[in-house]
Amino acid sequence: MRKTLLTTGLFMLGMSVFAQSINFSNGQVTYNFPAETAGEMVFNGNTITVADRVFNLDEWSRIKVNDSEISDNKVMIHFSHNGASVVIAGNIANYVEASVNGGHVEISQSDDVSASTCGEITYVLEGNTNDGGLTLNGSFKSSIELQGVWIENPSGAALDIQNGKRISISAKSGTYNYLKDGAGNQKGALSCKGHLELKGKGDLVVVGQQSHAIYSKEYVEVKNLTLSIVAVKDGINCNQYFLMESGDVLIDDTGDDGIQVSYKDAVDREAEDTGSITISGGKLEIITTADAAKCLKAEGDVVVSGGTLGLTSNANGIWDSNKKKTKASACIGADGNITISGGEVELKATGSGGKGISCDGVFYGNGGKTTIATTGGLLVYSNGSLNHNYTSDAERINSDYKSSAKGIKADSGVVITDGEYHVTTATNNAEGIESKMDLEINGGTIFVKAYDDGINSSKDFRVNGGDLTVISIVGDGLDSNGNLYINGGYVRTMGSGGMEMGLDAATESGCAVYITGGTFLAFGGSNTYPNKSGSTQAFVRGSGAIKADTEVSVKSGDQVLATFTVPSEYTSTRGGVAFGPGNGPGGGGWNPGGGSGNGSIMISCPELKSGQSYTIVNGTTTSTATATLTSSGR
């Protein structure tokens, strides 16, 4: 036997000047050595040494000389329905061990791999299997290239990466790649112990049948990739942070959240352990249907600075029996702050109590274009059961036992400085924008048409700039449970009539409206007028009915000082209150085109001088009013 092997070895040495590579194989695992780099092969009893790799000839019994070639630092893994095969580049022969069992491949990358030894190793996957998978162990960063691979693993993860370092997975341009898991205790069809970077200009589909589709113990980054995800739990579940820079991601048919990010360690956090979701580019589409699920859910902050987001929550709310309170779904939810500074964001929430944006921190609107529509009913828990479309008066129901749909809800404040916002709600108790603390608008173009209050703050409310159009169907336009400051901007705010106002401050708590700037028209059944010193800009007040698509203005003689066009979405006609989309009173503009409901008209602009008389023009009707800094009543 040894003589035969020696003869074979001498033959290979003689052929090496003509052949490209020498291959040592054991079953389905092959080490490929380029002939010109193999050097002297040393026989020693039952072993042969090639490029410092020692092969036991009792195991490595197939030695082949051929024209095959593999690049340095690469491992080629080919899957087929007959099983898998692995070819390992000769220069990393001392650093990679592989085993194959049918279509299942396990790779062990030596802990000696480092920048000073062989450097990063790339694993190339191709072929098809409906009973296979890859397990990768190691302690140094590595890359995986998907070159048209289809892996279904009926008994575990399709890719199980036990390497705790940075793992780059690239779907190569022009390729379609598919990963699907099966029964097991894995956390994802694509499961990674380290940092996961998903990129490439190809397509990747990941189906999580046991848990999440993609799971990473640390962060996940997406760039360029076209990624489609289906999962019985979260689409993507990771710790530290999620970052999308570019690409096209579709997450549909998940049993829980679309993307969920948690803190890796709640106490001893690393610098990157932010629990955040950041979208700076690309196209992201998520549709969720699971009760109380969120399209984006972060324990930290959510930041959108670019890209196109289409997030749809078709999920109803639930009763949380542990916390003894209702829990609603949301398109974007964060335990920290939510900031939108760029991109185009379209949010739709159709489930009971569903929110477009919901955060425990502050919502910052700094740019971009955001469209939010909620159509879900008021969620109420009563007598041991859930009502997903409660239509009666809910004023006296404990807040823990109800959850209403809202466009934007922020527990620690709202600050809007720039951008475009179009917010609509359609059901009982559904407010457009709500802050549980202070609310501040410094700029931007804002349109709100809400069933209940248009924009509501639990504490002080400041309008310093911006272009605001706010319509309420059965509530107030701008509603402050503290002081309401109008310091600038161009504002049209319309309450529904009756006791519902264009401007409403908490006078019952000693608060007031203060006007120091801006140009605004406020209409409602009544308005809160400044009744304390501190205002520096005068206003005029009148009464009447305003009609959609008509102009309301204030004049000094023949000079028009300010003019407003009543939005086509509004009418002051009030009908019987019947909660639910399409059945509300005319005050909300379900039936635009005019009306006869009288109310309070209030106008202010910098040109008004206290004590002087002006003309209010409402369509074809005129009236005279004296400007003042303060006024009693509402």
Side-chain angles (χ1 to χ4, degrees), residues 169-306:
I169 297 181
S170 175
K172 307 310 290 183
S173 179
T175 67
Y176 179 87
N177 305 276
Y178 183 91
L179 304 175
K180 181 179 179 181
D181 69 348
N185 58 4
Q186 70 278 1
K187 293 185 177 181
L190 168 51
S191 182
C192 180
K193 189 177 179 181
H195 336 308
L196 191 56
E197 297 180 2
L198 302 172
K199 58 185 181 180
K201 295 185 177 181
D203 289 79
L204 174 60
V205 176
V206 184
V207 179
Q209 291 199 123
Q210 188 66 20
S211 184
H212 314 305
I214 297 175
Y215 169 79
S216 175
K217 191 175 180 180
E218 296 180 343
Y219 65 72
V220 171
E221 295 184 359
V222 177
K223 185 176 182 180
N224 294 328
L225 185 67
T226 297
L227 176 63
S228 299
I229 286 175
V230 174
V232 298
K233 290 188 179 179
D234 299 336
I236 298 175
N237 182 292
C238 64
N239 297 291
Q240 291 191 330
Y241 66 84
F242 173 87
L243 169 64
M244 181 173 174
E245 296 181 353
S246 57
D248 192 336
V249 177
L250 170 63
I251 301 176
D252 192 3
D253 193 19
T254 59
D256 204 342
D257 304 311
I259 300 174
Q260 178 179 333
V261 181
S262 305
Y263 293 118
K264 182 182 177 183
D265 191 318
V267 180
D268 298 321
R269 295 179 189 161
E270 302 173 22
E272 62 268 28
D273 191 16
T274 62
S276 66
I277 295 175
T278 301
I279 313 294
S280 60
K283 181 179 181 182
L284 175 63
E285 295 181 78
I286 301 176
I287 301 173
T288 57
T289 58
D291 289 347
K294 296 175 174 60
C295 296
L296 298 179
K297 180 180 180 181
E299 285 194 354
D301 299 340
V302 174
V303 178
V304 179
S305 60

Side-chain angles (χ1 to χ4, degrees), residues 1 30 87 106 111 156 181 216 222 226 234 261 269 278 280 295 356 368 374 396 481 496-497 561 585 629:
M1 174 65 176
T30 299
V87 179
E106 182 168 357
D111 291 342
D181 69 348
S216 175
V222 177
T226 297
D234 299 336
V261 181
R269 295 179 189 161
T278 301
S280 60
C295 296
T374 74
R396 296 186 179 182
N481 290 289
S496 61
L561 303 182
L629 291 175

Side-chain angles (χ1 to χ4, degrees), residues 449-464:
K449 180 182 176 183
Y451 197 79
D452 205 323
D453 295 337
I455 304 179
N456 176 285
S457 68
S458 294
K459 293 193 175 180
D460 289 349
F461 189 152
R462 289 177 172 81
V463 180
N464 302 318

Side-chain angles (χ1 to χ4, degrees), residues 496-538:
S496 61
M499 291 301 294
E500 308 304 334
M501 311 175 192
L503 296 181
D504 186 9
T507 55
E508 65 277 8
S509 301
C511 298
V513 169
Y514 298 91
I515 305 171
T516 62
T519 299
F520 72 82
L521 163 68
F523 177 83
S526 58
N527 280 301
T528 302
Y529 305 109
N531 61 1
K532 294 184 178 181
S533 61
S535 292
T536 58
Q537 180 173 298

Side-chain angles (χ1 to χ4, degrees), residues 537-555:
Q537 180 173 298
F539 66 93
V540 293
R541 55 186 290 188
S543 64
I546 63 174
K547 297 183 180 181
D549 298 314
T550 62
E551 288 190 350
V552 179
S553 61
V554 60
K555 297 172 63 176

